[in-house]
Amino acid sequence: MNVKLLSAALATSALFAIAPASAQGVKIGILNDQSGVYADYGGKWSLEAAKMAVEDFGGEVLGQKIEIVSADHQNKPDTAVAIARKWYDVDGVDMITELTTSSVALAIQDLSREKKKIDIVVGAATSRITGDACQPYGFHWAYDTHALAVGTGGALVKAGGDSWFFLTADYAFGYALEKDTSEVVKANGGKVLGSVRHPLNSSDFSSFLLQAQSSKAKIIGLANAGLDTANSIKQASEFGIVAGGQKLAGLLLTLAEVHGLGLKAAQGLVLTEAYYWDRDDKSREFAERFFKRTSRMPNMIQAGTYSATLSYLKAVKAAGTKDTEAVAAKLKKLPVDDAFAKGKVLANGRFVHDLYLFEVKKPEESKKPWDYYKLISTVEGYMAFPSAAESGCPLTR
């Protein structure tokens, strides 16, 4: 063979060898905390929910196999970006979802904009994701700090909890949750007496809780999540804070943390979730299948990951292509109605759906395993989330 022809053939072979695997399939990445403070909050259970979505969809789309990859970002934005960059550039990942931890989600938003790839945030909370940090291919699915503030914060102020002190996780999520809840408290006639910030994954909350106790605020707002919230509640009990007349507000508390605490410690807590396994027939059917695989009931992060994954695959099918622009457009056009929620996606990428205000049952009120919540009220989607025009997203101006 001519030397030049041989060289050209080898070069062509090399190009095919390094072509992203996703060229022959659809690849979805689950990127979250699988070993740290949020491991129960989403963790490997979110991965299992995504697998369920792929199976329910049929395992392939547009005649191509659907593959899921996962990784632990350890709540470090630089680690998350390094993983995601390799996924996008080398491994051919088409979409990344879950993305627990707001600082991580914001970093992946920037990378996804640069790479023109879709990300669907489920586990992270900051409302900036579809606000000032929005991007054309970014979506926010389960809840956000604005919705939690309207649900839990608004309800407690109206019930007489008109003075607040915040115990806040010292990173983007905590700041956003404190800010959004403070605004709702003040808008409803309440006042904020102060706040204190604690590091992520703290083990000792004593000094922070003593400051909250000495503030004499009626409500101590826990602007944290996962094990930080659970440990805050446990140590607050040891200090006699609730017994002394102050009330704890778990601003981001899910079924996973309530289960870890147990009803004796968690009883009476008011919280907002977008999903509860025992709410209706559709949520129960999904939860029972999830339980058979995991021996636990799903929370809103895990059910939300199922919904995000399923919605992405439906958008790919409707678009007839994996092209990012076409799929993003379909995600914003197609209605959502699944085991997690029913609603629509706005122009800024915010999935708007109802949320629910719950009170944790007393031990004697629980009639069966995982029977933890009683419904107080429904927070309708249009109240929970701002419109696209009001969100601060530059895309909607």
Side-chain angles (χ1 to χ4, degrees), residues 205 222 224-236 252-253 256-258 260-261 265:
F205 288 87
L222 303 178
N224 51 20
L227 286 177
D228 282 340
T229 301
N231 288 331
S232 300
I233 293 169
K234 288 176 183 176
Q235 291 176 36
L252 178 47
L253 196 65
E257 291 77 58
V258 171
L261 282 165

mmCIF file with all atom_site columns, all heavy atoms in Angstrom, residues 205 222 224-236 252-253 256-258 260-261 265:
data_model
loop_
_atom_site.group_PDB
_atom_site.id
_atom_site.type_symbol
_atom_site.label_atom_id
_atom_site.label_alt_id
_atom_site.label_comp_id
_atom_site.label_asym_id
_atom_site.label_entity_id
_atom_site.label_seq_id
_atom_site.pdbx_PDB_ins_code
_atom_site.Cartn_x
_atom_site.Cartn_y
_atom_site.Cartn_z
_atom_site.occupancy
_atom_site.B_iso_or_equiv
_atom_site.pdbx_formal_charge
_atom_site.auth_seq_id
_atom_site.auth_comp_id
_atom_site.auth_asym_id
_atom_site.auth_atom_id
_atom_site.pdbx_PDB_model_num
ATOM 1   N N   . PHE A 1 205 ? -22.282 21.416 66.898 1.00 0.00 ? 205 PHE A N   1
ATOM 2   C CA  . PHE A 1 205 ? -23.090 22.622 66.670 1.00 0.00 ? 205 PHE A CA  1
ATOM 3   C C   . PHE A 1 205 ? -23.327 23.415 67.956 1.00 0.00 ? 205 PHE A C   1
ATOM 4   O O   . PHE A 1 205 ? -24.135 24.344 67.957 1.00 0.00 ? 205 PHE A O   1
ATOM 5   C CB  . PHE A 1 205 ? -24.441 22.225 66.064 1.00 0.00 ? 205 PHE A CB  1
ATOM 6   C CG  . PHE A 1 205 ? -24.358 21.765 64.637 1.00 0.00 ? 205 PHE A CG  1
ATOM 7   C CD1 . PHE A 1 205 ? -24.088 20.445 64.323 1.00 0.00 ? 205 PHE A CD1 1
ATOM 8   C CD2 . PHE A 1 205 ? -24.528 22.659 63.588 1.00 0.00 ? 205 PHE A CD2 1
ATOM 9   C CE1 . PHE A 1 205 ? -24.003 20.011 63.010 1.00 0.00 ? 205 PHE A CE1 1
ATOM 10  C CE2 . PHE A 1 205 ? -24.439 22.243 62.274 1.00 0.00 ? 205 PHE A CE2 1
ATOM 11  C CZ  . PHE A 1 205 ? -24.179 20.914 61.979 1.00 0.00 ? 205 PHE A CZ  1
ATOM 12  N N   . LEU A 1 222 ? -33.137 26.240 60.233 1.00 0.00 ? 222 LEU A N   1
ATOM 13  C CA  . LEU A 1 222 ? -31.966 25.427 59.898 1.00 0.00 ? 222 LEU A CA  1
ATOM 14  C C   . LEU A 1 222 ? -31.751 25.490 58.386 1.00 0.00 ? 222 LEU A C   1
ATOM 15  O O   . LEU A 1 222 ? -32.339 24.727 57.624 1.00 0.00 ? 222 LEU A O   1
ATOM 16  C CB  . LEU A 1 222 ? -32.170 23.992 60.367 1.00 0.00 ? 222 LEU A CB  1
ATOM 17  C CG  . LEU A 1 222 ? -32.470 23.828 61.870 1.00 0.00 ? 222 LEU A CG  1
ATOM 18  C CD1 . LEU A 1 222 ? -32.711 22.357 62.212 1.00 0.00 ? 222 LEU A CD1 1
ATOM 19  C CD2 . LEU A 1 222 ? -31.337 24.396 62.720 1.00 0.00 ? 222 LEU A CD2 1
ATOM 20  N N   . ASN A 1 224 ? -29.626 24.409 56.378 1.00 0.00 ? 224 ASN A N   1
ATOM 21  C CA  . ASN A 1 224 ? -28.623 23.392 56.046 1.00 0.00 ? 224 ASN A CA  1
ATOM 22  C C   . ASN A 1 224 ? -29.362 22.152 55.568 1.00 0.00 ? 224 ASN A C   1
ATOM 23  O O   . ASN A 1 224 ? -30.574 22.202 55.348 1.00 0.00 ? 224 ASN A O   1
ATOM 24  C CB  . ASN A 1 224 ? -27.703 23.108 57.243 1.00 0.00 ? 224 ASN A CB  1
ATOM 25  C CG  . ASN A 1 224 ? -28.460 22.820 58.536 1.00 0.00 ? 224 ASN A CG  1
ATOM 26  O OD1 . ASN A 1 224 ? -29.642 22.474 58.512 1.00 0.00 ? 224 ASN A OD1 1
ATOM 27  N ND2 . ASN A 1 224 ? -27.794 22.976 59.670 1.00 0.00 ? 224 ASN A ND2 1
ATOM 28  N N   . ALA A 1 225 ? -28.669 21.047 55.399 1.00 0.00 ? 225 ALA A N   1
ATOM 29  C CA  . ALA A 1 225 ? -29.325 19.851 54.856 1.00 0.00 ? 225 ALA A CA  1
ATOM 30  C C   . ALA A 1 225 ? -28.557 18.602 55.248 1.00 0.00 ? 225 ALA A C   1
ATOM 31  O O   . ALA A 1 225 ? -27.455 18.672 55.805 1.00 0.00 ? 225 ALA A O   1
ATOM 32  C CB  . ALA A 1 225 ? -29.440 19.951 53.330 1.00 0.00 ? 225 ALA A CB  1
ATOM 33  N N   . GLY A 1 226 ? -29.152 17.432 54.951 1.00 0.00 ? 226 GLY A N   1
ATOM 34  C CA  . GLY A 1 226 ? -28.483 16.159 55.176 1.00 0.00 ? 226 GLY A CA  1
ATOM 35  C C   . GLY A 1 226 ? -28.115 15.922 56.635 1.00 0.00 ? 226 GLY A C   1
ATOM 36  O O   . GLY A 1 226 ? -28.884 16.233 57.556 1.00 0.00 ? 226 GLY A O   1
ATOM 37  N N   . LEU A 1 227 ? -26.921 15.377 56.844 1.00 0.00 ? 227 LEU A N   1
ATOM 38  C CA  . LEU A 1 227 ? -26.469 15.082 58.208 1.00 0.00 ? 227 LEU A CA  1
ATOM 39  C C   . LEU A 1 227 ? -26.307 16.338 59.043 1.00 0.00 ? 227 LEU A C   1
ATOM 40  O O   . LEU A 1 227 ? -26.443 16.287 60.272 1.00 0.00 ? 227 LEU A O   1
ATOM 41  C CB  . LEU A 1 227 ? -25.140 14.314 58.160 1.00 0.00 ? 227 LEU A CB  1
ATOM 42  C CG  . LEU A 1 227 ? -25.218 12.843 57.744 1.00 0.00 ? 227 LEU A CG  1
ATOM 43  C CD1 . LEU A 1 227 ? -23.823 12.245 57.663 1.00 0.00 ? 227 LEU A CD1 1
ATOM 44  C CD2 . LEU A 1 227 ? -26.075 12.051 58.726 1.00 0.00 ? 227 LEU A CD2 1
ATOM 45  N N   . ASP A 1 228 ? -26.011 17.480 58.411 1.00 0.00 ? 228 ASP A N   1
ATOM 46  C CA  . ASP A 1 228 ? -25.907 18.728 59.169 1.00 0.00 ? 228 ASP A CA  1
ATOM 47  C C   . ASP A 1 228 ? -27.233 19.073 59.833 1.00 0.00 ? 228 ASP A C   1
ATOM 48  O O   . ASP A 1 228 ? -27.269 19.488 60.996 1.00 0.00 ? 228 ASP A O   1
ATOM 49  C CB  . ASP A 1 228 ? -25.477 19.875 58.245 1.00 0.00 ? 228 ASP A CB  1
ATOM 50  C CG  . ASP A 1 228 ? -23.989 19.846 57.938 1.00 0.00 ? 228 ASP A CG  1
ATOM 51  O OD1 . ASP A 1 228 ? -23.234 19.216 58.704 1.00 0.00 ? 228 ASP A OD1 1
ATOM 52  O OD2 . ASP A 1 228 ? -23.586 20.458 56.940 1.00 0.00 ? 228 ASP A OD2 1
ATOM 53  N N   . THR A 1 229 ? -28.329 18.892 59.113 1.00 0.00 ? 229 THR A N   1
ATOM 54  C CA  . THR A 1 229 ? -29.648 19.149 59.698 1.00 0.00 ? 229 THR A CA  1
ATOM 55  C C   . THR A 1 229 ? -29.950 18.145 60.805 1.00 0.00 ? 229 THR A C   1
ATOM 56  O O   . THR A 1 229 ? -30.418 18.517 61.893 1.00 0.00 ? 229 THR A O   1
ATOM 57  C CB  . THR A 1 229 ? -30.744 19.075 58.618 1.00 0.00 ? 229 THR A CB  1
ATOM 58  O OG1 . THR A 1 229 ? -30.460 20.033 57.609 1.00 0.00 ? 229 THR A OG1 1
ATOM 59  C CG2 . THR A 1 229 ? -32.108 19.385 59.203 1.00 0.00 ? 229 THR A CG2 1
ATOM 60  N N   . ALA A 1 230 ? -29.691 16.878 60.538 1.00 0.00 ? 230 ALA A N   1
ATOM 61  C CA  . ALA A 1 230 ? -29.958 15.840 61.541 1.00 0.00 ? 230 ALA A CA  1
ATOM 62  C C   . ALA A 1 230 ? -29.168 16.088 62.821 1.00 0.00 ? 230 ALA A C   1
ATOM 63  O O   . ALA A 1 230 ? -29.710 16.001 63.935 1.00 0.00 ? 230 ALA A O   1
ATOM 64  C CB  . ALA A 1 230 ? -29.619 14.466 60.969 1.00 0.00 ? 230 ALA A CB  1
ATOM 65  N N   . ASN A 1 231 ? -27.898 16.426 62.679 1.00 0.00 ? 231 ASN A N   1
ATOM 66  C CA  . ASN A 1 231 ? -27.069 16.680 63.860 1.00 0.00 ? 231 ASN A CA  1
ATOM 67  C C   . ASN A 1 231 ? -27.497 17.955 64.583 1.00 0.00 ? 231 ASN A C   1
ATOM 68  O O   . ASN A 1 231 ? -27.443 18.021 65.814 1.00 0.00 ? 231 ASN A O   1
ATOM 69  C CB  . ASN A 1 231 ? -25.595 16.769 63.457 1.00 0.00 ? 231 ASN A CB  1
ATOM 70  C CG  . ASN A 1 231 ? -25.019 15.414 63.078 1.00 0.00 ? 231 ASN A CG  1
ATOM 71  O OD1 . ASN A 1 231 ? -25.467 14.381 63.571 1.00 0.00 ? 231 ASN A OD1 1
ATOM 72  N ND2 . ASN A 1 231 ? -24.025 15.402 62.200 1.00 0.00 ? 231 ASN A ND2 1
ATOM 73  N N   . SER A 1 232 ? -27.926 18.963 63.835 1.00 0.00 ? 232 SER A N   1
ATOM 74  C CA  . SER A 1 232 ? -28.436 20.190 64.456 1.00 0.00 ? 232 SER A CA  1
ATOM 75  C C   . SER A 1 232 ? -29.640 19.880 65.341 1.00 0.00 ? 232 SER A C   1
ATOM 76  O O   . SER A 1 232 ? -29.739 20.370 66.476 1.00 0.00 ? 232 SER A O   1
ATOM 77  C CB  . SER A 1 232 ? -28.864 21.204 63.378 1.00 0.00 ? 232 SER A CB  1
ATOM 78  O OG  . SER A 1 232 ? -27.815 21.572 62.540 1.00 0.00 ? 232 SER A OG  1
ATOM 79  N N   . ILE A 1 233 ? -30.550 19.083 64.815 1.00 0.00 ? 233 ILE A N   1
ATOM 80  C CA  . ILE A 1 233 ? -31.774 18.755 65.547 1.00 0.00 ? 233 ILE A CA  1
ATOM 81  C C   . ILE A 1 233 ? -31.459 17.922 66.791 1.00 0.00 ? 233 ILE A C   1
ATOM 82  O O   . ILE A 1 233 ? -31.993 18.182 67.880 1.00 0.00 ? 233 ILE A O   1
ATOM 83  C CB  . ILE A 1 233 ? -32.758 18.010 64.618 1.00 0.00 ? 233 ILE A CB  1
ATOM 84  C CG1 . ILE A 1 233 ? -33.249 18.957 63.514 1.00 0.00 ? 233 ILE A CG1 1
ATOM 85  C CG2 . ILE A 1 233 ? -33.936 17.449 65.400 1.00 0.00 ? 233 ILE A CG2 1
ATOM 86  C CD1 . ILE A 1 233 ? -34.001 18.268 62.392 1.00 0.00 ? 233 ILE A CD1 1
ATOM 87  N N   . LYS A 1 234 ? -30.584 16.932 66.627 1.00 0.00 ? 234 LYS A N   1
ATOM 88  C CA  . LYS A 1 234 ? -30.215 16.100 67.781 1.00 0.00 ? 234 LYS A CA  1
ATOM 89  C C   . LYS A 1 234 ? -29.586 16.924 68.893 1.00 0.00 ? 234 LYS A C   1
ATOM 90  O O   . LYS A 1 234 ? -29.925 16.787 70.077 1.00 0.00 ? 234 LYS A O   1
ATOM 91  C CB  . LYS A 1 234 ? -29.242 15.007 67.337 1.00 0.00 ? 234 LYS A CB  1
ATOM 92  C CG  . LYS A 1 234 ? -29.855 13.909 66.492 1.00 0.00 ? 234 LYS A CG  1
ATOM 93  C CD  . LYS A 1 234 ? -28.785 12.927 66.013 1.00 0.00 ? 234 LYS A CD  1
ATOM 94  C CE  . LYS A 1 234 ? -29.356 11.859 65.100 1.00 0.00 ? 234 LYS A CE  1
ATOM 95  N NZ  . LYS A 1 234 ? -28.303 10.961 64.563 1.00 0.00 ? 234 LYS A NZ  1
ATOM 96  N N   . GLN A 1 235 ? -28.646 17.798 68.530 1.00 0.00 ? 235 GLN A N   1
ATOM 97  C CA  . GLN A 1 235 ? -27.942 18.585 69.541 1.00 0.00 ? 235 GLN A CA  1
ATOM 98  C C   . GLN A 1 235 ? -28.835 19.680 70.123 1.00 0.00 ? 235 GLN A C   1
ATOM 99  O O   . GLN A 1 235 ? -28.701 20.040 71.293 1.00 0.00 ? 235 GLN A O   1
ATOM 100 C CB  . GLN A 1 235 ? -26.657 19.155 68.947 1.00 0.00 ? 235 GLN A CB  1
ATOM 101 C CG  . GLN A 1 235 ? -25.626 18.063 68.666 1.00 0.00 ? 235 GLN A CG  1
ATOM 102 C CD  . GLN A 1 235 ? -24.363 18.559 67.990 1.00 0.00 ? 235 GLN A CD  1
ATOM 103 O OE1 . GLN A 1 235 ? -23.880 19.653 68.259 1.00 0.00 ? 235 GLN A OE1 1
ATOM 104 N NE2 . GLN A 1 235 ? -23.816 17.743 67.090 1.00 0.00 ? 235 GLN A NE2 1
ATOM 105 N N   . ALA A 1 236 ? -29.775 20.192 69.331 1.00 0.00 ? 236 ALA A N   1
ATOM 106 C CA  . ALA A 1 236 ? -30.728 21.167 69.854 1.00 0.00 ? 236 ALA A CA  1
ATOM 107 C C   . ALA A 1 236 ? -31.583 20.546 70.950 1.00 0.00 ? 236 ALA A C   1
ATOM 108 O O   . ALA A 1 236 ? -31.909 21.189 71.956 1.00 0.00 ? 236 ALA A O   1
ATOM 109 C CB  . ALA A 1 236 ? -31.609 21.694 68.733 1.00 0.00 ? 236 ALA A CB  1
ATOM 110 N N   . LEU A 1 252 ? -34.692 22.548 54.802 1.00 0.00 ? 252 LEU A N   1
ATOM 111 C CA  . LEU A 1 252 ? -34.511 21.508 53.780 1.00 0.00 ? 252 LEU A CA  1
ATOM 112 C C   . LEU A 1 252 ? -34.337 20.177 54.500 1.00 0.00 ? 252 LEU A C   1
ATOM 113 O O   . LEU A 1 252 ? -33.243 19.791 54.887 1.00 0.00 ? 252 LEU A O   1
ATOM 114 C CB  . LEU A 1 252 ? -33.312 21.793 52.880 1.00 0.00 ? 252 LEU A CB  1
ATOM 115 C CG  . LEU A 1 252 ? -33.020 20.719 51.812 1.00 0.00 ? 252 LEU A CG  1
ATOM 116 C CD1 . LEU A 1 252 ? -34.275 20.300 51.072 1.00 0.00 ? 252 LEU A CD1 1
ATOM 117 C CD2 . LEU A 1 252 ? -31.966 21.201 50.839 1.00 0.00 ? 252 LEU A CD2 1
ATOM 118 N N   . LEU A 1 253 ? -35.456 19.531 54.681 1.00 0.00 ? 253 LEU A N   1
ATOM 119 C CA  . LEU A 1 253 ? -35.488 18.252 55.385 1.00 0.00 ? 253 LEU A CA  1
ATOM 120 C C   . LEU A 1 253 ? -36.280 17.292 54.518 1.00 0.00 ? 253 LEU A C   1
ATOM 121 O O   . LEU A 1 253 ? -37.341 17.644 54.008 1.00 0.00 ? 253 LEU A O   1
ATOM 122 C CB  . LEU A 1 253 ? -36.175 18.436 56.744 1.00 0.00 ? 253 LEU A CB  1
ATOM 123 C CG  . LEU A 1 253 ? -35.996 17.354 57.800 1.00 0.00 ? 253 LEU A CG  1
ATOM 124 C CD1 . LEU A 1 253 ? -34.552 17.262 58.244 1.00 0.00 ? 253 LEU A CD1 1
ATOM 125 C CD2 . LEU A 1 253 ? -36.880 17.651 59.016 1.00 0.00 ? 253 LEU A CD2 1
ATOM 126 N N   . ALA A 1 256 ? -35.481 11.037 54.053 1.00 0.00 ? 256 ALA A N   1
ATOM 127 C CA  . ALA A 1 256 ? -34.263 10.312 54.434 1.00 0.00 ? 256 ALA A CA  1
ATOM 128 C C   . ALA A 1 256 ? -33.749 10.771 55.794 1.00 0.00 ? 256 ALA A C   1
ATOM 129 O O   . ALA A 1 256 ? -33.343 9.958  56.630 1.00 0.00 ? 256 ALA A O   1
ATOM 130 C CB  . ALA A 1 256 ? -33.182 10.510 53.374 1.00 0.00 ? 256 ALA A CB  1
ATOM 131 N N   . GLU A 1 257 ? -33.755 12.091 56.034 1.00 0.00 ? 257 GLU A N   1
ATOM 132 C CA  . GLU A 1 257 ? -33.262 12.611 57.307 1.00 0.00 ? 257 GLU A CA  1
ATOM 133 C C   . GLU A 1 257 ? -34.231 12.315 58.441 1.00 0.00 ? 257 GLU A C   1
ATOM 134 O O   . GLU A 1 257 ? -33.822 12.022 59.577 1.00 0.00 ? 257 GLU A O   1
ATOM 135 C CB  . GLU A 1 257 ? -33.017 14.131 57.221 1.00 0.00 ? 257 GLU A CB  1
ATOM 136 C CG  . GLU A 1 257 ? -31.849 14.509 56.320 1.00 0.00 ? 257 GLU A CG  1
ATOM 137 C CD  . GLU A 1 257 ? -32.218 14.426 54.855 1.00 0.00 ? 257 GLU A CD  1
ATOM 138 O OE1 . GLU A 1 257 ? -33.172 15.111 54.440 1.00 0.00 ? 257 GLU A OE1 1
ATOM 139 O OE2 . GLU A 1 257 ? -31.556 13.646 54.109 1.00 0.00 ? 257 GLU A OE2 1
ATOM 140 N N   . VAL A 1 258 ? -35.539 12.394 58.154 1.00 0.00 ? 258 VAL A N   1
ATOM 141 C CA  . VAL A 1 258 ? -36.533 12.058 59.176 1.00 0.00 ? 258 VAL A CA  1
ATOM 142 C C   . VAL A 1 258 ? -36.383 10.601 59.587 1.00 0.00 ? 258 VAL A C   1
ATOM 143 O O   . VAL A 1 258 ? -36.441 10.258 60.773 1.00 0.00 ? 258 VAL A O   1
ATOM 144 C CB  . VAL A 1 258 ? -37.961 12.344 58.652 1.00 0.00 ? 258 VAL A CB  1
ATOM 145 C CG1 . VAL A 1 258 ? -39.012 11.801 59.615 1.00 0.00 ? 258 VAL A CG1 1
ATOM 146 C CG2 . VAL A 1 258 ? -38.163 13.841 58.439 1.00 0.00 ? 258 VAL A CG2 1
ATOM 147 N N   . GLY A 1 260 ? -33.655 8.830  59.459 1.00 0.00 ? 260 GLY A N   1
ATOM 148 C CA  . GLY A 1 260 ? -32.433 8.714  60.250 1.00 0.00 ? 260 GLY A CA  1
ATOM 149 C C   . GLY A 1 260 ? -32.601 9.214  61.667 1.00 0.00 ? 260 GLY A C   1
ATOM 150 O O   . GLY A 1 260 ? -32.041 8.651  62.610 1.00 0.00 ? 260 GLY A O   1
ATOM 151 N N   . LEU A 1 261 ? -33.384 10.278 61.833 1.00 0.00 ? 261 LEU A N   1
ATOM 152 C CA  . LEU A 1 261 ? -33.614 10.848 63.162 1.00 0.00 ? 261 LEU A CA  1
ATOM 153 C C   . LEU A 1 261 ? -34.544 9.975  64.001 1.00 0.00 ? 261 LEU A C   1
ATOM 154 O O   . LEU A 1 261 ? -34.382 9.849  65.216 1.00 0.00 ? 261 LEU A O   1
ATOM 155 C CB  . LEU A 1 261 ? -34.231 12.236 63.030 1.00 0.00 ? 261 LEU A CB  1
ATOM 156 C CG  . LEU A 1 261 ? -33.316 13.388 62.666 1.00 0.00 ? 261 LEU A CG  1
ATOM 157 C CD1 . LEU A 1 261 ? -34.137 14.598 62.230 1.00 0.00 ? 261 LEU A CD1 1
ATOM 158 C CD2 . LEU A 1 261 ? -32.423 13.757 63.842 1.00 0.00 ? 261 LEU A CD2 1
ATOM 159 N N   . ALA A 1 265 ? -37.380 11.991 67.760 1.00 0.00 ? 265 ALA A N   1
ATOM 160 C CA  . ALA A 1 265 ? -36.587 13.219 67.658 1.00 0.00 ? 265 ALA A CA  1
ATOM 161 C C   . ALA A 1 265 ? -37.172 14.209 66.661 1.00 0.00 ? 265 ALA A C   1
ATOM 162 O O   . ALA A 1 265 ? -37.061 15.418 66.849 1.00 0.00 ? 265 ALA A O   1
ATOM 163 C CB  . ALA A 1 265 ? -35.158 12.880 67.259 1.00 0.00 ? 265 ALA A CB  1
#
